[in-house]
Amino acid sequence: MRIPAEQWARLLSIPVFLAIWQLVAGLELVNPLLFPPPTVVVKAFFDYMLHGDGVTDAGWSIARVVIGYSAGAVVGVVIGVLTGGSAILSGLLTPVFQLLRPIPPIAFVPIVIVWFGLTELGKWFLVFWGVFFTVWLATHMGVQRVTETLVRAAQSLGATRWQLLWTVQLPDALPVIFVGLRTSLSIAFYTLVAAELAGAYAGIAYRLEVTQQNMQIGHMMAGLLMLGFISTVSDRLFQSASRRLLHWST
Amino acid sequence: MQHHIGRFVLAGTAILLALSSGFANAADKIRLAQNLAPISGLAIIAKQKNLFEKYGLDVAVSNFTSGRQALETVLGGGADIATTAEAPITAAALARQKIALLARMEYSDDKTLVSKSSGINSAADLKGKRIGYTVGTGGEIYTLTLLKKAGLTKNDVTLVNLRPQDMVAALSTNSIDAYNTWEPHISNGKKALGDKVKELDTKGVYAETFNLVVTEEYLSKNEKTVTAFLRAILDAERFLKANRDESITIIAAATGMKKEELADIWNDYIFELVLDERVLSTLKNHAEWRLESGNAPAGATLPDFHKFIFAAPLKQVAPERVKIPGL
């Protein structure tokens, strides 16, 4: 049985990446303290997970992402459907959202402290902020760009506005909405860096900050590796779930 | 024909002479990575008053928001000289980086700002309170030293890790009762929160130092350049002490602060190009804390900081300013 070339490429992707990294780090073209080889990072990773705070940190970070992401996704879809379906609401809200959308969550840290103090709510809000706009925009555009023929067909069959939205516009927009939901899943992990910057006692991004202060770059990169790993696993799970839910579009 | 050859020889000699004189006059290039804050005051004055040029130096400045970033840039080969506090120096020393501390430029006390409603009137009153601090920095050592002096440990309080710029917001929402940090964040807090806050008298508990650091390799290859750099910094110190108002104006403009605000805290900054016991004891205390608290690489031991302090360039510039015995 022959393994296709693309499968070979996939199998070799990460080992080749690690080999190049090890080689470049081994050449010491840059200071190995600042750019440690993967062997050092993997050792730091196991140290972090087995003897350090890796499990606790991962628990806190995942909880923050799950809560912030869920809230941002639900609110983003609801508002996106409303602005996508109503020209008045779109006119009212879109300029404000477009103005706020580019503001990075990290710039919001001092304002979030003033609003929420150093509570978990503030950390969830920062993740929410990162997720909401992407989901809202995808939903808004998905609903607005629904296939015209389907809308006309439904209208000619006497569909009410609610029926039109629920049975035509939303199912047709779902593939676009899911692209937004998937993209924002990665964004949720980016925003952890901002969310765990102020007043956190645990969390992967919090530990990144501490290890960077201590110039323990190997441990810092182990934290990044863990963030990347959790983010990849969640992306895969999301992809698999979306294939089942959107069976008609795949 | 001989006439022509003579002309070529003359012209060639003239070009060579011109080139060599050009090389002789070419300024030595140095890349300075500095934390753009009043603590880098001497380097800022030296640049703004063209004192580096006076000693034949062409200094390209890269600004950072922390001394750690500046030192990392030097270790990564992106700059030649860093202005940095003791925390990044001890982190690098414990990671066995070959760095050379040339001199201290400045030191200033860390301070404590408390909300009046918290009922804190002395360090002992911090018991049971929530205190903002920045993990891994001199602010952490200051916090632990302050607690120790008051007969407390970190288990008697709730320590909350915050960036200095977020501390005022946290205090304003009563998310913390007090914060420990360096200027200008204490004066910013007083300005923003007015009579709702007050500063505790903690003078002398812990002062952060600000230093000039290069790699050993750079120093060994560029000792003359480094010595010229220190001469310019020494001139900057003399200028700063003789011209208080103008120095405040220059540093405030460079760091984006208001002149009046910098003037209010100006006396807290002690500028002096020196190598003294304070440099050594601060590094030792900081490294001991790193080892005790686990904020150091596995297997690290307390380094002999005499080996990280390179006094030769400062000795050439001002021998009386090298005050550490044995150096």
Side-chain angles (χ1 to χ4, degrees), chain A residues 29-34 47 106 109-111 113-119 196-201 206 209-210 212-217 219, chain B residues 68 71-72 75-76 88 91-92 95 97 133-137 158-163 166 169-170 172-173 175-176 289-290 294-297:
Chain A
L29 297 171
V30 289
N31 190 322
L33 174 75
L34 303 176
D47 183 48
I106 204 155
V109 171
I111 297 165
I113 294 173
V114 172
W115 284 351
F116 301 103
L118 297 170
T119 58
E196 293 181 354
L197 206 59
Y201 298 96
Y206 162 77
E209 176 74 7
V210 174
Q212 201 183 3
Q213 284 287 1
N214 294 329
M215 240 182 247
Q216 295 170 315
I217 308 297
H219 281 75
Chain B
R68 176 180 53 76
L71 184 58
E72 280 178 1
L75 293 175
Q97 293 298 295
Y133 77 122
T134 308
V135 72
T137 65
T158 304
L159 295 177
V160 183
N161 178 38
L162 289 166
R163 295 183 301 171
D166 295 331
S172 74
T173 54
S175 299
I176 50 174
W289 162 79
R290 281 197 180 283
N295 288 300

Side-chain angles (χ1 to χ4, degrees), chain A residues 2-245:
Chain A
R2 282 188 64 187
I3 300 174
E6 62 265 29
Q7 207 166 329
W8 272 115
R10 191 171 293 178
L11 283 171
L12 288 172
S13 169
I14 290 177
V16 167
F17 168 71
L18 291 174
I20 293 171
W21 177 5
Q22 181 76 33
L23 186 76
V24 173
L27 290 172
E28 296 196 5
L29 297 171
V30 289
N31 190 322
L33 174 75
L34 303 176
F35 185 64
T39 43
V40 171
V41 176
V42 169
K43 202 174 154 219
F45 180 79
F46 281 108
D47 183 48
Y48 180 37
M49 293 307 292
L50 301 175
H51 311 294
D53 302 298
V55 177
T56 315
D57 285 347
W60 277 102
S61 291
I62 290 170
R64 284 166 187 148
V65 165
V66 168
I67 295 169
Y69 175 83
S70 305
V74 169
V75 178
V77 168
V78 171
I79 307 271
V81 167
L82 292 174
T83 57
S86 158
I88 296 170
L89 272 177
S90 174
L92 200 65
L93 296 176
T94 302
V96 179
F97 288 172
Q98 294 290 21
L99 191 75
L100 297 175
R101 196 164 65 93
I103 299 174
I106 204 155
F108 256 101
V109 171
I111 297 165
V112 165
I113 294 173
V114 172
W115 284 351
F116 301 103
L118 297 170
T119 58
E120 279 302 300
L121 191 61
K123 294 168 185 61
W124 299 337
F125 177 80
L126 280 165
V127 178
F128 167 91
W129 183 269
V131 169
F132 167 75
F133 292 108
T134 307
V135 176
W136 163 75
L137 188 63
T139 310
H140 174 83
M141 286 170 66
V143 172
Q144 269 198 334
R145 292 176 188 182
V146 71
T147 315
E148 197 63 26
T149 322
L150 293 176
V151 174
R152 281 190 193 151
Q155 280 171 334
S156 69
L157 290 168
T160 61
R161 199 168 174 188
W162 175 249
Q163 282 173 322
L164 188 69
L165 180 69
W166 192 245
T167 58
V168 178
Q169 285 177 298
L170 204 54
D172 199 38
L174 271 181
V176 183
I177 295 172
F178 267 68
V179 169
L181 287 169
R182 188 178 171 190
T183 310
S184 60
L185 193 56
S186 304
I187 293 172
F189 284 95
Y190 303 161
T191 52
L192 264 185
V193 174
E196 293 181 354
L197 206 59
Y201 298 96
I204 302 170
Y206 162 77
R207 205 67 58 190
L208 292 180
E209 176 74 7
V210 174
T211 50
Q212 201 183 3
Q213 284 287 1
N214 294 329
M215 240 182 247
Q216 295 170 315
I217 308 297
H219 281 75
M220 193 195 88
M221 288 175 84
L224 290 174
L225 199 71
M226 189 142 107
L227 263 187
F229 177 73
I230 298 172
S231 177
T232 306
V233 169
S234 41
D235 184 68
R236 285 291 160 90
L237 289 173
F238 186 89
Q239 209 181 356
S240 148
S242 65
R243 270 199 202 116
R244 285 168 189 229
L245 287 166

Side-chain angles (χ1 to χ4, degrees), chain B residues 249-262:
Chain B
T249 306
I250 291 170
I251 296 170
T255 55
M257 289 177 75
K258 284 184 183 163
K259 193 185 161 187
E260 318 81 71
E261 290 170 8
L262 181 56

Side-chain angles (χ1 to χ4, degrees), chain B residues 34 36-45 48 63 184 191 239-240 243-266 269 271:
Chain B
Q34 77 176 2
L36 187 59
I39 46 182
S40 292
L42 294 185
I44 293 169
I45 295 279
Q48 298 297 324
N63 291 317
K191 219 175 345 160
F239 176 88
L240 181 138
N243 303 277
R244 185 180 192 273
D245 271 6
E246 193 181 345
S247 298
I248 292 172
T249 306
I250 291 170
I251 296 170
T255 55
M257 289 177 75
K258 284 184 183 163
K259 193 185 161 187
E260 318 81 71
E261 290 170 8
L262 181 56
D264 284 347
I265 52 172
W266 183 251
Y269 297 108
F271 294 101

